[in-house]
Amino acid sequence: MKSVDVLVIGAGAAGLAAAVSLKENSIEDVLVVDRQNFAGGILFQCIHSGFGLHRFGEELTGPEYAQRYIDMAECQNVEMLLSSSVVDIVSKDDIKEVIILSQDSGLVKVKVKAIILAMGCRERNRGNINIPGSRPAGIFTAGLAQKLVNIEGYMPGNEFVIVGSGDIGLIMARRLTLEGAKVKAVLEIQPYPGGLDRNIVQCLDDFDIPLYTSHIVTNICGSRRVESVDVSEITDGRLTPKMKISCDTLLLSVGLIPENELSITAGVSLNAATAGPIVSSDYMTNVPGIFACGNVLHVHDLVDYVSDEASACAKAVSMYLANKLPQDKCIPVHSGNMVRYVVPSTVKPQCDAILKLRPVAPMKNVKIKVVSDRGDVLKSKKLIRAIPSEMITVQLNDVPTGCKSITVYFEI
């Protein structure tokens, strides 16, 4: 049986950054496993620019960003097992046994001291949002369409309606238009756009693509192929039939779900708000020795932040292996007024912590506050605006002892 200090599951943005950081923190025995036959994950189909400004100080495409980390991993001699899937994790005291099915090596068993979950996330599909209507061809998730166009060189349709104004959907609206398709509308169930402002401007406004907020598809029409969709407006919680849009393709950009089936198998508890593992401020789950970072933990808005989080997680793993992680009792962190979720779920006394959160709805001129159960204000930060599509980060320095809980909320 093979033995390594740390096994990283996933060779995407989080997995690569974690592996590189482990090496930088003097953890030499690292193995990265990925089911694909290449490292870099979904970044290779994201051929648009906008990556790396925070991490590298320059604007890169997705493949360029991925290659930076692949090169760093190669320089650090990170061992990778590609075309391989982790099928089980068995914990035995402080040692874990990971079962891997490999295309080249068959069944592989690896004994590890620590595991980093970095499996990323997957797209929600039609079944997740229950769109009524027939089941013709011509319904794609935005990420699949992106792969078909950018990797396979195949246009999935000619006339599109896009459901959801998340960033992938917005970027695909522009991409399809540049390839000669007609994007007739982008529909958003919420009363506000779901993507970043820059993508609304650069991907929709610049190409005169209409965005309808508070609108949903109430029926898909067509027998062998999508022919049209019925669209209704949401007013005061009621649906009002609005229009029928002829199209041959419906693109779904309706959110992402962290890939946590393996986490559940390993006994990791999940956060109901994020669908990712519940972790402490050192990114360790409820299972000692199993850590999580990146989009498997919570969906990020920028890949740069995924890399930052993975590096911090790897540093915590190195401390865990050296028995230097603080063993103090964890202090729970609660989501208060207008806060959708906060990661991590717990912090440790006399330690620094980075809180990441998202608001429930857009707000202007608000104050984010972090208070203890005793009423002490641990952090207060003014924000000109807060929107759900942008993750908010709050740095806590030296969490005081004696706290029984911490609450994060917006003061409006």
Side-chain angles (χ1 to χ4, degrees):
M1 181 185 294
K2 184 180 178 67
S3 296
V4 298
D5 288 335
V6 185
L7 185 138
V8 181
I9 306 174
L16 288 172
V20 170
S21 182
L22 285 168
K23 289 282 191 175
E24 291 172 346
N25 283 278
S26 304
I27 307 299
E28 291 298 326
D29 209 3
V30 178
L31 174 64
V32 179
V33 180
D34 197 284
R35 62 190 174 196
Q36 299 289 343
N37 61 357
F38 59 89
I42 201 170
L43 283 167
F44 278 105
Q45 70 184 56
C46 304
I47 63 173
H48 54 280
S49 60
F51 302 88
L53 280 170
H54 173 73
R55 192 69 174 170
F56 296 110
E58 58 182 305
E59 194 170 36
L60 304 172
T61 64
E64 289 172 330
Y65 189 94
Q67 195 60 50
R68 292 282 179 100
Y69 271 99
I70 292 171
D71 292 344
M72 285 190 276
E74 288 178 353
C75 286
Q76 297 278 9
N77 295 316
V78 172
E79 182 182 2
M80 293 198 193
L81 186 60
L82 303 176
S83 301
S84 304
S85 295
V86 174
V87 295
D88 201 5
I89 298 172
V90 181
S91 294
K92 294 180 180 177
D93 300 323
D94 292 336
I95 299 297
K96 291 164 181 58
E97 187 176 301
V98 179
I99 315 298
I100 303 169
L101 275 179
S102 171
Q103 182 174 306
D104 297 326
S105 306
L107 187 66
V108 179
K109 294 183 179 180
V110 184
K111 195 175 285 187
V112 303
K113 297 177 182 175
I115 296 169
I116 295 180
L117 304 173
M119 295 88 75
C121 55
R122 63 171 179 266
E123 295 178 281
R124 298 174 75 205
N125 54 39
R126 180 182 180 182
N128 297 121
I129 58 174
N130 297 320
I131 302 178
S134 55
R135 302 178 63 85
I139 303 172
F140 299 85
T141 61
L144 174 58
Q146 186 180 52
K147 181 180 180 181
L148 290 173
V149 175
N150 293 345
I151 302 294
E152 308 294 339
Y154 173 79
M155 279 291 286
N158 297 307
E159 294 185 328
F160 290 78
V161 169
I162 298 178
V163 177
S165 61
D167 290 314
I168 302 175
L170 299 177
I171 288 165
M172 280 311 295
R174 176 179 62 186
R175 183 77 181 106
L176 293 166
T177 303
L178 290 172
E179 288 297 327
K182 177 66 175 176
V183 179
K184 293 191 167 182
V186 175
L187 310 174
E188 172 57 54
I189 189 172
Q190 299 292 340
Y192 50 83
L196 298 172
D197 283 353
R198 72 180 189 192
N199 286 332
I200 297 291
V201 173
Q202 296 173 4
C203 300
L204 298 187
D205 296 350
D206 288 355
F207 294 90
D208 294 325
I209 298 171
L211 168 63
Y212 297 94
T213 56
S214 299
H215 282 69
I216 63 170
V217 170
T218 49
N219 192 31
I220 298 173
C221 308
S223 53
R224 296 180 63 85
R225 178 83 190 193
V226 173
E227 295 174 359
S228 64
V229 293
D230 295 333
V231 177
S232 294
E233 184 176 9
I234 304 171
T235 308
D236 297 328
R238 294 185 177 183
L239 293 179
T240 304
K242 191 74 175 182
M243 56 188 160
K244 179 184 283 289
I245 305 176
S246 63
C247 60
D248 61 19
T249 308
L250 184 66
L251 221 60
L252 304 178
S253 174
V254 289
L256 303 167
I257 305 171
E259 292 250 24
N260 273 303
E261 286 75 11
L262 186 60
S263 308
I264 296 170
T265 300
V268 171
S269 299
L270 301 187
N271 184 320
T274 63
I278 293 173
V279 297
S280 58
S281 50
D282 48 27
Y283 300 99
M284 189 156 72
T285 68
N286 61 299
V287 181
I290 298 184
F291 297 73
C293 62
N295 285 342
V296 79
L297 180 58
H298 62 122
V299 177
H300 293 61
D301 45 0
L302 296 178
V303 71
D304 302 56
Y305 298 151
V306 169
S307 301
D308 286 347
E309 186 176 276
S311 296
C313 176
K315 187 175 180 180
V317 172
S318 68
M319 293 175 66
Y320 170 79
L321 295 178
N323 291 319
K324 292 182 178 177
L325 269 188
Q327 300 298 316
D328 303 274
K329 186 178 179 180
C330 290
I331 301 169
V333 180
H334 301 301
S335 300
N337 183 45
M338 294 301 287
V339 175
R340 184 177 159 223
Y341 72 79
V342 182
V343 172
S345 298
T346 61
V347 295
K348 293 183 177 178
Q350 295 184 304
C351 294
D352 296 344
I354 298 176
L355 305 181
K356 297 164 186 172
L357 59 117
R358 289 182 190 267
V360 172
M363 295 172 286
K364 290 183 178 178
N365 299 316
V366 293
K367 189 179 287 184
I368 183 80
K369 279 193 168 182
V370 183
V371 298
S372 71
D373 60 297
R374 299 178 300 191
D376 300 325
V377 179
L378 307 181
K379 195 79 175 186
S380 179
K381 184 177 178 180
K382 286 184 179 178
L383 299 173
I384 296 175
R385 69 167 194 168
I387 56 176
S389 59
E390 292 183 4
M391 191 171 69
I392 298 169
T393 300
V394 177
Q395 172 79 45
L396 281 185
N397 297 320
D398 196 12
V399 176
T401 55
C403 288
K404 293 183 179 177
S405 66
I406 286 174
T407 301
V408 184
Y409 67 94
F410 285 99
E411 186 177 83
I412 302 174

